[in-house]
Amino acid sequence: MRQTYYGVDPSVRKELEDGLRQFNRLTRSLFDRSADSGKLEGLRKERDTLQDEIQAKLTQSGQVLGFLTEEQLEDLDKLLKEIEDPEIRSLLGANHIPYGCLESVIGALISLPQPPRNLIFFLERAKQKRFHVIVWIM
Amino acid sequence: MLSDLSLAFETVKKMTENTEAVKQAGEVKNLEFVDTEIGGREIPNTESGQGLELQDQSRLMEEQNREVKEAAYMSDDIGLREQTQEFGDPAYIRELRESYPNMDTVLSKNEEILRDPGSDLAYQRAADTLERYKGTVFENEIKDSLGDRFELTESKQMTVETEYGETKPDVVLRGALEEMRIGDLTVGKGEDLYIEAKCGSAEYIRNQMGHMLEQVEGHEQNSLVVVTRDYLDIAPDVRAEFEKQLSEKGSHLYVADVRAMDISNGLFSSLKL
């Protein structure tokens, strides 16, 4: 499993917005204990289709900035708990980091006792190219 | 169609020769009369709408034929089919994690990720991890179902050398306490059983066929491949070729009566959130 950081321009971000929102809703629904197996099956199929569509769009129109492995993500989880600003924490747990927020996110990461250099590097690249960032697990 | 049914019956009969399942096979034999009576319901032979009735008859026969073949894949004399039907039950999965510390560690870790409150990426990571982990859960379920029938279940995967390189059988069970039949494999008392387990969609199992044929090379004594019911969605000619090659390597196939998606759903629902 890899958490990949893609740089996208504003038009691609706009195109992906609804799909990502729906993908998140579907993912959370998979953990709904009250849903019966028939409903879950439908949700899974819808989610799989959407996942393929988003992946295809990112492959076609996004630029890979870098990725984090499962082990690196576990380390990052520990570091992010030290970020006090709930807005920054929320941005780092979302699929989308807008270009306008990159400066403050990078600033918060740099100020950590052990800054996550790889993630800072990905976000810096996005900032230089004026990209929005889409975070995608694959 | 009738010859297909006879062939299917012969397969079942062959697999159940010296066990109590002969009785079940006798019941299956009644299906030979499927052209006049299906599921205890006689098919009326009226002239009007005969074309439609023939279509219905044909469809019902195909359905019966499919059921007979599926029953053969899932046949055993130890109640394994009934056990595999529970593999997607969240309560069973919760019970299982008590016996398998590694499984408990993985599930606990994901429960932790999703708390406080879980972010979008946390949910996606957990979903991805659990989706990939269902294969291990399936292996543990097989160990749990068969373990009591053997003297010992190897707790660690052992490495076996084959002409294709090293392989690690998913499940190794030592010393059968009694003779048993699983699919068309009879395991004698005192014998060992080596199992490769595959839990996934038809496409996944189809893609794994080549690998499975290599993996069974590392099996000693009794060799079995256990797959989820998704296997039955693979084209019959592809299945037949795979089963032929498996048989040539001295291995056997058993289809668990559960879909991979049922195990995924059960696994997700089993989390203590």
Side-chain angles (χ1 to χ4, degrees):
Chain A
M1 191 259 283
R2 286 176 176 183
Q3 183 160 298
T4 305
Y5 292 77
Y6 282 95
V8 298
D9 64 34
S11 64
V12 177
R13 174 207 159 183
K14 183 79 185 159
E15 283 176 52
L16 287 169
E17 211 168 54
D18 289 345
L20 286 171
R21 196 177 298 119
Q22 174 71 349
F23 183 74
N24 282 316
R25 191 187 65 77
L26 290 167
T27 303
R28 284 174 186 265
S29 301
L30 295 182
F31 293 87
D32 178 6
R33 286 187 207 176
S34 63
D36 62 37
S37 61
K39 187 182 174 191
L40 286 171
E41 186 170 342
L43 291 171
R44 271 182 198 284
K45 283 181 181 163
E46 192 184 343
R47 182 178 181 273
D48 288 348
T49 305
L50 193 52
Q51 189 169 25
D52 290 345
E53 285 171 9
I54 294 171
Q55 181 64 67
K57 185 74 194 167
L58 286 170
T59 305
Q60 183 195 344
S61 311
Q63 185 177 321
V64 176
L65 303 166
F67 65 84
L68 299 177
T69 63
E70 206 160 346
E71 294 73 28
Q72 288 171 321
L73 285 171
E74 281 174 20
D75 293 340
L76 184 66
D77 281 344
K78 290 172 199 154
L79 286 176
L80 296 188
K81 282 181 183 161
E82 293 176 40
I83 294 178
E84 285 176 13
D85 186 338
E87 253 182 63
I88 301 289
R89 270 210 312 270
S90 168
L91 279 167
L92 286 165
N95 287 102
H96 171 222
I97 306 174
Y99 168 72
C101 299
L102 285 174
E103 182 85 50
S104 48
V105 172
I106 293 166
L109 291 172
I110 287 173
S111 63
L112 288 170
Q114 287 177 302
R117 279 190 237 160
N118 41 13
L119 177 55
I120 292 167
F121 175 69
F122 307 155
L123 301 183
E124 282 285 5
R125 279 182 74 191
K127 199 179 120 193
Q128 280 167 15
K129 298 191 173 191
R130 306 182 75 82
F131 278 150
H132 296 277
V133 176
I134 301 292
V135 190
W136 190 241
I137 290 168
M138 48 199 287
Chain B
M1 185 60 68
L2 199 56
S3 62
D4 278 350
L5 281 170
S6 299
L7 183 65
F9 169 66
E10 284 306 316
T11 308
V12 175
K13 192 180 166 194
K14 200 175 164 188
M15 292 168 70
T16 58
E17 265 172 0
N18 54 0
T19 68
E20 65 177 26
V22 168
K23 188 179 149 214
Q24 293 169 5
E27 288 164 8
V28 171
K29 192 175 184 180
N30 291 333
L31 295 171
E32 285 186 343
F33 302 105
V34 75
D35 54 344
T36 56
E37 195 178 336
I38 292 175
R41 183 167 58 86
E42 200 170 327
I43 297 171
N45 187 18
T46 56
E47 284 185 14
S48 60
Q50 199 169 26
L52 187 63
E53 280 172 10
L54 281 171
Q55 271 184 359
D56 285 350
Q57 189 176 345
S58 168
R59 187 177 52 77
L60 284 166
M61 283 171 71
E62 277 175 24
E63 180 78 2
Q64 292 277 16
N65 193 5
R66 187 181 57 76
E67 282 175 16
V68 170
K69 285 179 178 170
E70 284 184 13
Y73 278 121
M74 301 174 191
S75 153
D76 66 90
D77 66 355
I78 52 171
L80 185 58
R81 180 174 184 179
E82 288 72 22
Q83 284 181 286
T84 62
Q85 286 168 347
E86 303 297 316
F87 279 8
D89 182 351
Y92 174 57
I93 294 171
R94 256 181 245 127
E95 196 184 302
L96 202 65
R97 68 187 273 192
E98 310 272 325
S99 314
Y100 293 88
N102 289 348
M103 184 172 159
D104 187 52
T105 304
V106 172
L107 299 189
S108 299
K109 204 161 144 187
N110 280 283
E111 284 163 350
E112 195 183 326
I113 287 172
L114 296 176
R115 287 189 193 121
D116 301 332
S119 68
D120 290 341
L121 287 175
Y123 270 91
Q124 288 164 34
R125 266 170 67 191
D128 185 82
T129 304
L130 294 176
E131 200 52 46
R132 283 183 292 116
Y133 196 65
K134 67 176 184 288
T136 304
V137 173
F138 185 54
E139 282 173 29
N140 289 345
E141 290 177 324
I142 292 169
K143 282 182 197 168
D144 187 59
S145 301
L146 293 172
D148 288 348
R149 297 178 183 280
F150 287 81
E151 284 171 19
L152 175 76
T153 305
E154 293 284 359
S155 56
K156 285 185 181 171
Q157 281 193 304
M158 51 184 287
T159 305
V160 182
E161 285 287 343
T162 72
E163 63 173 296
Y164 305 102
E166 287 183 345
T167 182
K168 290 180 178 178
D170 292 328
V171 181
V172 179
L173 300 155
R174 303 281 187 202
L177 299 175
E178 295 292 339
E179 182 181 288
M180 70 189 85
R181 185 181 56 77
I182 306 171
D184 61 351
L185 169 67
T186 300
V187 181
K189 186 176 178 181
E191 292 179 355
D192 298 345
L193 174 61
Y194 285 65
I195 298 175
E196 293 303 329
K198 296 291 170 195
C199 170
S201 64
E203 189 187 3
Y204 167 77
I205 297 173
R206 168 75 186 82
N207 290 337
Q208 287 288 309
M209 282 178 172
H211 184 48
M212 282 189 268
L213 290 167
E214 290 177 0
Q215 285 179 307
V216 297
E217 293 270 332
H219 291 189
E220 294 162 21
Q221 279 199 349
N222 299 295
S223 169
L224 187 67
V225 168
V226 181
V227 291
T228 48
R229 207 172 65 205
D230 310 79
Y231 176 78
L232 301 175
D233 295 332
I234 296 172
D237 57 329
V238 176
R239 290 199 319 243
E241 180 57 28
F242 171 65
E243 287 161 30
K244 181 173 156 268
Q245 290 188 43
L246 206 56
S247 174
E248 284 167 2
K249 288 177 183 277
S251 190
H252 303 258
L253 182 83
Y254 181 78
V255 177
D257 196 5
V258 64
R259 294 175 312 157
M261 195 181 278
D262 297 328
I263 297 176
S264 291
N265 289 342
L267 186 56
F268 280 59
S269 301
S270 76
L271 292 189
K272 300 166 190 167
L273 298 176

